[in-house]
Amino acid sequence: MGRTLSEKVWDRHVVRSAEGEPDLLYIDLHLVHEVTSPQAFDGLRMARRPVRRPDLTLATMDHNVPTTLDAGGAMVVDDPISKKQMEVLGANCDEFGIPLYPMGHRNQGIVHVIGPELGLTQPGMTIVCGDSHTSTHGAVGALAIGIGTSEVEHVLATQTLPQRRPGTMSVTVDGELPPGVTAKDMILAVIGRIGTGGGMGSVIEYRGSAIRSLSMEGRMTVCNMSIEGGARAGLVAPDDTTFAYLEGRAHAPKGKAWEEALDVWRSLATDDDASFDKGVELNATTLVPHVSWGTNPSQVAPIDGNVPDPEAIADPAERDAARRALAYQGLAAGIAVRDIAVDTVFIGSCTNARIEDLRAAAAVLDGHHVRDGVRALVVPGSALVKTEAEAEGLDRIFRAAGFEWREAGCSMCLAMNPDKLAPGERCASTSNRNFEGRQGPGGRTHLVSPAVAAATAVAGHFATPQELN
Amino acid sequence: MDPIRSITGTAVPLDRSDVDTDQIIPAEWLKRVERTGFAAGLFSAWRKDPSFVLNQPQYAGASVLVAGTNFGTGSSREHAVWALTDYGFRAVVSPRFADIFRSNCTKAGLVPAQLDVETAAALLAAVEADPTIEVTVDVEARVVRAPAAGIEAPFPLDDFTRWRLLEGLDDIGLSLRHEPDITGYESTRPRWLPTTSPVGG
Ligand code: SF4
């Protein structure tokens, strides 16, 4: 009986397995950021344990960093607690010998953006990070798992992680995406279908012709939000798109090593006779742009649709959740999605702040201007993305359209740095979470693709690019 | 970690599904570099509402939280577990837990007890009707009991995790017992796998 991609990656990393115990998995890459690591380093110090493999560990600063410069071009952290958290990461990396890309470094950025762009994220690897969106790295065919701080400490000390073998789930999307419909819409539709618990206990493999036709950036957007469907991880089998993306990147294998790596990577795809524990299928040809209306990422509607009427929902728990969500979001039951006006547009986050996302948004904005009264910001996912975008002149298009062009970081994806929504403000956001208060206490989030975010900034209410002309 | 054999106390009914970790502990609280002091941040946005269940005096001093389904979705922040334990909870009951949250719980001394939907709903109703009801989450027997409500139901807990909780064992210490296996594995890793040492100047 054949094995799936995730099972093959798993099997290659089992250090030890014993009846009744979790497998001990070797971790090829451990990414670290300032928020979930300080207590782990403290634990090491208390137990007098070293970091086993600093050379397989990489740290960056992303959650707390401000994304604006002062008049002198310097990045100033006003909040003393944020500042301390970043300083503590710097000190910990020094003490334990871990490479760090701090604020202001040319390789700094959101942890899930820099891994792939530096070529550190490779097919068949096990990757962990104290962050749930680690699933992003699955786009190259890696098994990438988000972990908590105790597990961060465990990986720092041992370079391994005890894990129970997860279940397997396939999400198959076949057919061609209609023009204007993106990877973001695809994953929002998937989560709308399976719910926030649909993937729990499983690793999702995204399959089918529509997934194969996605760029690496698109696959990262899809895998990124696996956790929003509850999954342990999400991945896509490596193929020529993957190899073309990786070739020549800073940490990718070179020369003979590249050939050896390719042989291994090509053997990873799910066998024809393998089976999944469960699966769902979607037809790409009928997909449309999606907008989230509620306070969890499964509460989504097609942009042509309406916010639901909670009273029409049969399941009592869902009905209750919908009532609560509409009250928090300040939305009337049944209102058309297109009639919802926004105050803020945020293009950024590890879901949608890679170069292709910025290109897509800029293409919509070229020749248009943000509607009066709408605050719009675009925050590149990494310093390298920012540099690349500026080389292409995208920053000029964004600025001319009335967008603020920022430094790299998590920014308004979560309320941990100065970029926040005020209470009651409504935002079209390319990020991944619409939880209550996620973008600032009392803020209201609607998840959308970069193209819809850009069109919405111009229209002042939810819109698609086609409507602008 | 201290050994946990069984937890008995009163319970707080949190009748909501999809309680995400951003609600359990908002991001603002994640800037702390310590492992303690998170109790004030627990459900801090919801606690601004005087009618929120944690603000009701009859539920003070509870050690078990009884919640709706999909508890702990969202971020991997272990701070969510620290906030719950700091506040005084020792166990959470729900029909379904998010994977990372569940795993964080058992590393940080909070017992996640998953009950079937009907039993969880019955327990929630019982605690809502009578806040003084005593609830036991028995790790050793893998059973949740609320005798006054006539509830006794098993919850899943694998042998290894149960043993770890009962003994209060440190996971890292356990894994380091297998250090020779780790070293052995390392010697077989392909040499072309990347390291994080900076390249390209
Ligand atoms: S961009 Fe948002 S989701 Fe991604 S790592 Fe940063 S805070 Fe987390």
Side-chain angles (χ1 to χ4, degrees):
Chain A
M1 172 89 158
R3 292 176 302 161
T4 66
L5 164 64
S6 68
E7 289 169 325
K8 290 184 190 182
V9 180
W10 186 281
D11 291 344
R12 291 176 68 88
H13 290 86
V14 176
V15 168
R16 176 182 180 274
S17 76
E19 187 62 30
E21 292 184 31
D23 286 350
L24 194 61
L25 281 193
Y26 198 80
I27 302 302
D28 291 320
L29 176 66
H30 184 191
L31 300 166
V32 173
H33 63 78
E34 76 275 18
V35 181
T36 53
S37 64
Q39 297 87 351
F41 285 111
D42 277 348
L44 291 184
R45 262 189 297 271
M46 273 187 317
R48 298 178 186 284
R49 287 173 175 142
V51 171
R52 183 179 177 92
R53 294 296 300 266
D55 63 326
L56 303 183
T57 312
L58 179 71
T60 190
M61 299 175 182
D62 50 10
H63 287 63
N64 281 271
V65 300
T67 59
T68 46
L69 302 177
D70 71 4
M75 209 179 265
V76 183
V77 187
D78 289 326
D79 179 345
I81 318 178
S82 283
K83 189 159 180 237
K84 176 164 176 209
Q85 190 163 62
M86 291 194 271
E87 285 168 0
V88 165
L89 178 65
N92 282 329
C93 289
D94 273 354
E95 180 181 341
F96 289 95
I98 294 169
L100 167 69
Y101 295 130
M103 204 171 69
H105 192 283
R106 65 183 156 74
N107 286 344
Q108 176 270 343
I110 305 173
V111 65
H112 311 308
V113 176
I114 69 170
E117 83 184 355
L118 294 172
L120 278 167
T121 297
Q122 296 174 17
M125 288 171 65
T126 46
I127 300 175
V128 297
C129 174
D131 195 285
S132 57
H133 292 103
T134 308
S135 58
T136 314
H137 306 265
V140 304
L143 185 63
I145 306 172
I147 58 178
T149 298
S150 292
E151 292 172 317
V152 168
E153 183 180 339
H154 192 285
V155 177
L156 288 171
T158 68
Q159 203 58 34
T160 65
L161 194 63
Q163 284 282 299
R164 300 239 154 235
R165 196 178 263 271
T168 54
M169 175 170 179
S170 64
V171 169
T172 308
V173 193
D174 276 317
E176 205 177 321
L177 277 178
V181 184
T182 68
K184 181 64 162 285
D185 303 304
M186 199 191 273
I187 189 64
L188 286 174
V190 168
I191 297 162
R193 169 96 162 263
I194 68 174
T196 60
M200 276 180 194
S202 306
V203 171
I204 295 178
E205 181 179 331
Y206 299 97
R207 301 161 61 82
S209 59
I211 300 287
R212 298 254 76 86
S213 331
L214 290 177
S215 65
M216 285 312 294
E217 281 92 342
R219 295 177 190 184
M220 287 184 221
T221 301
V222 169
C223 288
N224 173 274
M225 291 192 71
S226 304
I227 183 73
E228 261 51 73
R232 207 72 190 85
L235 36 62
V236 176
D239 60 10
D240 289 339
T241 303
T242 321
F243 309 144
Y245 173 89
L246 280 170
E247 195 167 12
R249 291 194 181 257
H251 288 267
K254 309 268 171 350
K256 192 163 160 288
W258 173 257
E259 298 303 323
E260 278 176 44
L262 273 184
D263 281 345
V264 172
W265 296 347
R266 287 207 170 101
S267 71
L268 294 171
T270 293
D271 296 325
D272 291 338
D273 58 343
S275 66
F276 291 86
D277 300 335
K278 55 183 174 180
V280 295
E281 284 169 25
L282 257 78
N283 181 354
T285 51
T286 56
L287 280 178
V288 295
H290 272 58
V291 178
S292 76
W293 51 265
T295 53
N296 80 52
S298 73
Q299 293 172 322
V300 292
I303 196 163
D304 304 317
N306 298 63
V307 165
D309 178 354
E311 306 320 313
I313 298 176
D315 179 78
E318 259 180 54
R319 180 168 60 230
D320 190 48
R323 270 191 204 136
R324 205 187 294 283
L326 290 192
Y328 180 86
Q329 294 280 65
L331 292 173
I335 185 180
V337 170
R338 276 201 174 78
D339 289 343
I340 303 173
V342 302
D343 314 291
T344 305
V345 173
F346 169 60
I347 298 178
S349 91
C350 57
T351 314
N352 279 128
R354 283 167 285 268
I355 189 69
E356 182 184 285
D357 302 312
L358 302 196
R359 283 183 196 137
V364 173
L365 290 168
D366 205 359
H368 291 284
H369 199 276
V370 169
R371 176 125 181 157
D372 277 352
V374 173
R375 168 168 69 140
L377 56 160
V378 51
V379 186
S382 71
L384 284 173
V385 168
K386 179 167 185 265
T387 310
E388 194 176 354
E390 286 173 353
E392 294 178 17
L394 302 185
D395 58 322
R396 289 198 303 275
I397 297 175
F398 281 114
R399 284 204 169 101
F403 266 77
E404 296 174 37
W405 177 249
R406 297 294 192 86
E407 304 298 313
C410 293
S411 183
M412 206 186 265
C413 176
L414 94 171
M416 260 195 98
N417 56 69
D419 304 335
K420 283 185 193 137
L421 292 182
E425 267 183 341
R426 190 179 300 287
C427 180
S429 176
T430 66
S431 57
N432 44 44
R433 288 197 173 134
N434 52 348
F435 299 153
E436 290 181 24
R438 171 75 180 182
Q439 297 188 286
R444 294 157 171 169
T445 301
H446 296 269
L447 306 173
V448 292
S449 72
V452 168
T456 300
V458 173
H461 56 83
F462 288 104
T464 59
Q466 291 86 325
E467 293 164 51
L468 300 184
N469 301 315
Chain B
M1 197 168 78
D2 295 330
I4 308 174
R5 196 149 288 269
S6 180
I7 294 143
T8 297
T10 56
V12 173
L14 181 63
D15 188 10
R16 299 187 187 198
S17 61
D18 296 285
V19 173
D20 59 77
T21 50
D22 279 70
Q23 306 317 313
I24 302 175
I25 185 88
E28 192 60 29
W29 285 84
L30 271 46
K31 297 177 185 177
R32 296 173 56 82
V33 296
E34 297 83 15
R35 216 180 179 112
T36 53
F38 291 98
L42 179 69
F43 296 120
S44 62
W46 290 349
R47 273 159 83 185
K48 289 187 185 129
D49 171 4
S51 70
F52 182 60
V53 66
L54 280 197
N55 293 328
Q56 297 176 23
Q58 64 271 33
Y59 292 113
S63 50
V64 179
L65 181 68
V66 184
T69 196
N70 293 342
F71 189 82
T73 55
S75 111
S76 68
R77 56 187 76 167
E78 198 164 313
H79 312 65
V81 176
W82 302 336
L84 287 160
T85 54
D86 232 25
Y87 186 86
F89 290 114
R90 309 282 312 284
V92 184
V93 175
S94 166
R96 188 156 61 177
F97 292 98
D99 290 327
I100 308 179
F101 177 82
R102 178 205 292 270
S103 153
N104 286 342
C105 279
T106 69
K107 314 274 169 177
L110 183 69
V111 181
Q114 182 178 331
L115 295 184
D116 64 88
V117 179
E118 289 77 31
T119 313
L123 184 62
L124 195 106
V127 177
E128 276 182 340
D130 180 0
T132 67
I133 278 188
E134 215 164 63
V135 179
T136 295
V137 176
D138 187 334
V139 171
E140 194 164 22
R142 293 180 265 223
V143 164
V144 175
R145 282 183 219 101
I151 290 171
E152 172 157 346
F155 68 89
L157 184 67
D158 64 85
D159 291 345
F160 184 77
T161 308
R162 173 176 169 272
W163 171 68
R164 254 193 338 98
L165 289 171
L166 290 173
E167 303 290 328
L169 290 172
D170 161 18
D171 244 356
I172 301 180
L174 289 177
S175 295
L176 284 174
R177 287 188 198 167
H178 308 300
E179 210 276 336
D181 294 328
I182 302 174
T183 307
Y185 179 89
E186 281 175 333
S187 69
T188 68
R189 296 178 75 236
R191 279 199 307 279
W192 47 262
L193 281 170
T195 73
T196 54
S197 318
V199 292

